[in-house]
Amino acid sequence: MQLPVISARGIIKRYGHDEVLRGVDYDIHQGQVKAIIGPSGSGKSTLLRLLALLEHADGGSIHLDGDLVGARAHQNGSSRPAPERILSRQRRPVGMVFQKFNLFPHLTALENVMLAQVVVTKRHKKEAEERAMETLARVGLQNHGSHYPSELSGGQQQRVAIARAVVQQPRALLFDEPTSALDPELVSEVLRVMESLAAEGMTMVIVTHEIAFARKVADEIAFFDAGLILEQSAPLSLFENPQHERTRQFLTHVS
Ligand SMILES: Nc1ncnc2c1ncn2[C@@H]1O[C@H](COP(=O)(O)OP(=O)(O)OP(=O)(O)O)[C@@H](O)[C@H]1O
Ligand SMILES: [Mg+2]
């Protein structure tokens, strides 16, 4: 069996006295598409932020392609964050797409997609621009490179954000409710792009309320509740035969 791209074990996260992740194990293998569903406040976004090394876990470990990331070696079960200089290198292989796009408003679509390549990957400007153009074309925005975010629809902005993540050739892409901030008529253009990435073999974790979409593209769906993965299985078995009453209740509310 191949090593997972990302492997999280026993992840614990607290905010004050609230334990919002209570010992989560989560693996994602190369080429897998995994969806995460669950009620508001159950810890889905927190898990993604931890996997992307945007925050530090209070317990547990994360391995990326077999290497411990985000923390120094554990002592007595506690872990200290790795220094920022190491974190910024360890973050690079994992891309993240947020609900609110997070594009730079003062940069064009093309510049948004070029920026990390020039600053982080140190690619030459010419090469970065060519790759950015190609990647914008992949998300159907070949004619919008010179537009500023304010001149793009929400669906177009989100596709720019996806292009910005994809152009870095990530080992895995994490999506946190990528269509929740969009007008309903713009949702499908974003889901189409994500579906084509999945078909091309991108390794993806998608937190979503788009149950039909999760059912269609995901190899596995995890149901989160109160800081734990209550169950995880192939879509058909999760929907047709949930193992927990809590999952069943949630599914009747959302479908
Ligand atoms: N920075 C923070 N400081 C304090 N509490 C936080 C912080 N971020 C998240 N929380 C709390 O942690 C819990 C889990 O939040 P999280 O955003 O991960 O939930 P979620 O499953 O993504 O919910 P939603 O479906 O609403 O996006 C919530 O109770 C939330 O209030
Ligand atoms: Mg969330």
Side-chain angles (χ1 to χ4, degrees):
M1 183 85 171
Q2 240 186 345
L3 267 182
V5 176
I6 300 176
S7 178
R9 283 291 168 277
I11 298 295
I12 293 171
K13 180 67 183 173
R14 297 184 199 96
Y15 291 114
H17 293 298
D18 267 357
E19 193 162 86
V20 304
L21 294 178
R22 301 189 291 137
V24 173
D25 296 337
Y26 197 72
D27 283 342
I28 172 106
H29 285 85
Q30 171 107 38
Q32 251 188 342
V33 177
K34 293 181 80 167
I36 298 176
I37 61 173
S40 183
S42 57
K44 309 179 298 293
S45 298
T46 303
L47 179 67
L48 285 201
R49 288 200 305 273
L50 290 169
L51 297 180
L53 307 183
L54 300 175
E55 283 189 68
H56 181 67
D58 295 300
S61 59
I62 299 170
H63 286 78
L64 181 69
D65 288 321
D67 296 325
L68 180 71
V69 290
R72 303 173 205 247
H74 291 224
Q75 299 147 342
N76 321 325
S78 73
S79 78
R80 305 243 310 275
E84 187 53 39
R85 142 187 80 77
I86 292 183
L87 284 177
S88 72
R89 178 171 51 77
Q90 292 178 340
R91 278 184 196 122
R92 273 180 223 167
V94 176
M96 182 122 171
V97 174
F98 302 89
Q99 185 175 350
K100 297 264 176 67
F101 329 136
N102 296 10
L103 296 175
F104 288 108
H106 62 290
L107 298 180
T108 64
L110 187 70
E111 289 164 346
N112 266 284
V113 180
M114 284 174 65
L115 187 67
Q117 298 184 71
V118 175
V119 177
V120 181
T121 325
K122 312 273 188 238
R123 278 185 194 135
H124 285 294
K125 212 174 154 206
K126 185 92 183 83
E127 193 198 347
E129 187 171 336
E130 277 166 19
R131 284 173 183 256
M133 292 293 285
E134 280 166 25
T135 314
L136 281 174
R138 267 173 87 178
V139 301
L141 292 173
Q142 56 280 6
N143 299 323
H144 293 77
S146 62
H147 290 229
Y148 287 90
S150 61
E151 300 166 339
L152 296 169
S153 72
Q156 290 170 334
Q157 290 182 63
Q158 190 59 300
R159 286 187 281 147
V160 173
I162 293 173
R164 176 178 62 176
V166 166
V167 81
Q168 295 295 86
Q169 300 172 297
R171 291 286 292 135
L173 256 186
L174 314 180
F175 294 83
D176 192 1
E177 297 196 34
T179 60
S180 299
L182 300 177
D183 290 338
E185 72 272 22
L186 302 178
V187 168
S188 64
E189 65 188 58
V190 171
L191 296 183
R192 259 201 310 278
V193 165
M194 292 170 63
E195 206 176 332
S196 75
L197 288 175
E200 289 161 24
M202 180 70 80
T203 305
M204 296 161 64
V205 179
I206 308 164
V207 172
T208 186
H209 291 295
E210 297 287 336
I211 299 293
F213 176 72
R215 191 169 178 152
K216 184 163 151 207
V217 304
D219 302 307
E220 263 186 350
I221 303 183
F223 175 69
F224 247 76
D225 189 40
L228 285 173
I229 295 177
L230 208 54
E231 56 186 302
Q232 170 159 243
S233 63
L236 194 63
S237 109
L238 188 86
F239 289 109
E240 305 298 332
N241 190 21
Q243 299 300 300
H244 291 265
E245 183 51 32
R246 189 73 194 87
T247 316
R248 197 184 307 274
Q249 278 170 6
F250 179 81
L251 290 174
T252 46
H253 280 111
V254 293
S255 354

